[in-house]
Amino acid sequence: MRATATPTANAVAPGTSAVPPRAIGFWGGLSANVLNMIGIGPFVTIPLALSALAGPSVLLGWVAGALLCLCDGLVWAELGSTIPESGGPYHYLREAYGRDKAGRLFGFLYLWQTLLTAPLSIGSAAVGFAQYAGFLIPSLGETGRALVAAGLCLLNTAVLYRRVGQIQRLSVLVSAIVVIACAWIVISGIRHFDMTIASHFFQAHVDSSHGFWLGLGAVALIAVYDYGGYNNVCMLGGEVKRPRRTIPMAVLVSIPLVAVLYLGLNLSILGVLPWEQAAHSKAVVADFMQAIHGRTGGTLAVLLILLASWGSALVVLLGYSRVPYAAAADGQFFPVFARLHPRGGFPTVSLLFVGATSAAACFLSLEHLIATLMVTQILFQYIAQCFAVVALRRRRADADVFRMPLYPLPLVVSVIGWLYLVATAGTSSIVAAVVAVLAGTLLFLWQARRSRTWPFPHR
């Protein structure tokens, strides 16, 4: 059977007259992924990785994270090609586990997770923007940085309040600038690479207080967080042209591209700055570029990082704003979130809601945010999606969709990798994620009991 969306997948709530147009091509999809991946993450997490696992083993963590993301990218590529709908994972889980059975629970839990984590994900990018802005404006205090971050979220909401085709052109332009900037940073490090400083790093011993394996898990978790975003095009699946080909290509090209940039960035920094200095830096790339080019170089690097973090916050907001819309259009969330702009064809209420809650999240403490976000997403979504591939393959025999090579090996690697990251994460992050899962499940059961839907019998 040909893999087409079910009528409910494209249902339009009262008051809406159309679905978003398919206007995003390969370059638009690739730029949406790359901008999401090359945000503020690596510029603030390299010191965290060096603190978690000293010596050359830290590079192993970055490589392990890239391999896990590549396997998971094959999962996203196949799911996105099979069900190319906006709000991607919501539809993958609903279809795979049965739209009127357990799929209702998985779809609701994904929506629940998104409502919890989307504001924090977008807010973290905005807070990172504000922290690097503090390098240029030292007088910014905690309150000032929070206000800058919240203002950025509101600005991005206004920028996205237009046709997605216009956003695609902006995304491609900013992506090109970001990649060129990263290449400039890496080339600067190669030209000024000091083998003595690098040798000091490669001779360092693992000094993680938790041992090698827990340290490796911590670094891999950071790496996966930084690589995260290769699935952003799947969130926009209903707005992608030729999605069965475009989505897999955008996912699988973005991962190795960014992995090479990140490894080059790490090696460049560790060949210029002593690793102990890099591990304790609050703006490691600014310090790195300042060591090479002086204050002017550091300032220019910060400006480019600000551009990258702004672009990342922009496309993350773009992707997440489609999830409440998809659920509402499917009849599983408040109908008002399914409203589309009468001329632009983009979700209005959903965009405004996610933008406003992200601005509010900028005033919250973001300590341990990376681990909590990743563990929550792993338990709510990533492992379930691996089994969703198996279920959909059994039900759909389409010849024109992308099929991952070496099946089922990438699935096995993904599940083992995700479980390892959860096992090596901090206890507080695991507890927070488990509590969130249980709370979402209880809320779903309460709603299902009221409406007499699965798993409760009809009257």
Side-chain angles (χ1 to χ4, degrees):
M1 172 175 81
R2 186 177 181 82
T4 56
T6 61
T8 55
N10 280 329
V12 181
T16 62
S17 58
V19 296
R22 292 190 178 274
I24 300 174
F26 167 72
W27 292 108
L30 180 64
S31 65
N33 285 359
V34 171
L35 262 184
N36 197 335
M37 298 169 78
I38 309 179
I40 197 64
F43 305 118
V44 296
T45 58
I46 287 176
L48 298 178
L50 291 171
S51 299
L53 192 65
S57 298
V58 73
L59 299 179
L60 180 61
W62 285 96
V63 173
L67 292 176
L68 175 56
C69 288
L70 186 59
C71 290
D72 187 59
L74 290 170
V75 173
W76 282 92
E78 180 160 333
L79 290 172
S81 176
T82 303
I83 307 176
E85 296 292 337
S86 293
Y90 173 79
H91 294 291
Y92 309 157
L93 298 173
R94 285 292 308 272
E95 291 290 338
Y97 296 102
R99 298 192 65 84
D100 297 319
K101 295 183 180 180
R104 294 178 62 87
L105 171 61
F106 281 99
F108 180 85
L109 286 179
Y110 173 71
L111 174 62
W112 174 250
Q113 171 230 243
T114 300
L115 295 178
L116 293 174
T117 60
L120 296 178
S121 298
I122 301 165
S124 66
V127 169
F129 175 95
Q131 288 177 344
Y132 263 84
F135 182 88
L136 301 178
I137 312 173
S139 60
L140 275 179
E142 290 294 329
T143 302
R145 285 193 288 269
L147 289 172
V148 169
L152 181 69
C153 291
L154 296 178
L155 172 65
N156 282 346
T157 303
V159 171
L160 291 174
Y161 203 83
R162 65 192 70 243
R163 292 180 183 273
V164 72
Q166 299 172 358
I167 302 302
Q168 177 182 212
R169 291 189 288 271
L170 176 63
S171 175
V172 171
L173 175 61
V174 176
S175 294
I177 295 173
V178 168
V179 171
I180 292 172
C182 288
W184 171 58
I185 293 171
V186 171
I187 292 171
S188 295
I190 293 174
R191 292 181 59 190
H192 295 82
F193 194 87
D194 189 327
M195 187 56 70
T196 302
I197 295 176
S199 297
H200 176 61
F201 163 73
F202 283 106
Q203 293 170 5
H205 298 289
V206 175
D207 60 356
S208 171
S209 58
H210 302 291
F212 172 77
W213 290 108
L214 288 180
L216 180 65
V219 175
L221 188 67
I222 291 170
V224 169
Y225 170 80
D226 287 344
Y227 291 130
Y230 52 84
N231 52 14
N232 202 40
V233 68
C234 297
M235 309 292 284
L236 308 168
E239 299 167 72
V240 175
K241 295 185 291 186
R242 297 182 295 278
R244 299 189 190 282
R245 177 176 179 272
T246 300
I247 290 176
M249 286 182 61
V251 171
L252 299 178
V253 170
S254 61
I255 296 171
L257 173 64
V258 174
V260 170
L261 285 175
Y262 281 0
L263 288 173
L265 182 62
N266 274 271
L267 290 172
S268 297
I269 290 174
L270 295 170
V272 174
L273 295 179
W275 73 266
E276 298 93 341
Q277 178 183 347
H280 294 93
S281 174
K282 299 298 183 182
V284 65
V285 175
D287 293 339
F288 162 73
M289 294 300 286
Q290 185 167 292
I292 295 175
H293 300 293
R295 179 69 182 180
T296 301
T299 300
L300 180 56
V302 167
L303 291 174
L304 293 171
I305 290 170
L306 291 177
L307 178 63
S309 58
W310 166 73
S312 175
L314 183 75
V315 296
V316 173
L317 174 58
L318 174 65
Y320 273 126
S321 68
R322 269 49 179 179
V323 177
Y325 158 78
D330 203 29
Q332 301 300 312
F333 199 51
F334 299 109
V336 68
F337 283 85
R339 289 184 179 175
L340 295 175
H341 192 276
R343 292 183 299 277
F346 57 88
T348 54
V349 176
S350 183
L351 172 62
L352 294 174
F353 172 81
V354 177
T357 53
S358 300
C362 295
F363 295 90
L364 301 177
S365 172
L366 297 178
E367 186 177 4
H368 305 309
L369 175 63
I370 294 175
T372 302
L373 285 176
M374 290 306 307
V375 172
T376 301
Q377 289 178 323
I378 290 170
L379 293 181
F380 268 99
Q381 175 189 352
Y382 294 166
I383 293 177
Q385 284 186 177
C386 292
F387 293 104
V389 172
V390 179
L392 289 173
R393 278 199 174 206
R394 290 176 177 176
R395 275 192 247 146
R396 299 184 180 224
D398 307 46
D400 61 340
V401 302
F402 173 83
R403 298 296 191 190
M404 69 176 67
L406 303 178
Y407 175 87
L409 182 60
L411 296 180
V412 175
V413 173
S414 295
V415 171
I416 293 175
W418 293 135
L419 292 175
Y420 171 67
L421 292 189
V422 170
T424 56
T427 303
S428 61
S429 299
I430 297 175
V431 170
V434 170
V435 169
V437 172
L438 292 176
T441 302
L442 292 175
L443 181 59
F444 169 81
L445 292 174
W446 176 73
Q447 289 187 339
R449 184 178 179 84
R450 290 187 61 191
S451 60
R452 309 305 298 177
T453 55
W454 186 92
F456 299 98
H458 296 284
R459 286 192 178 95

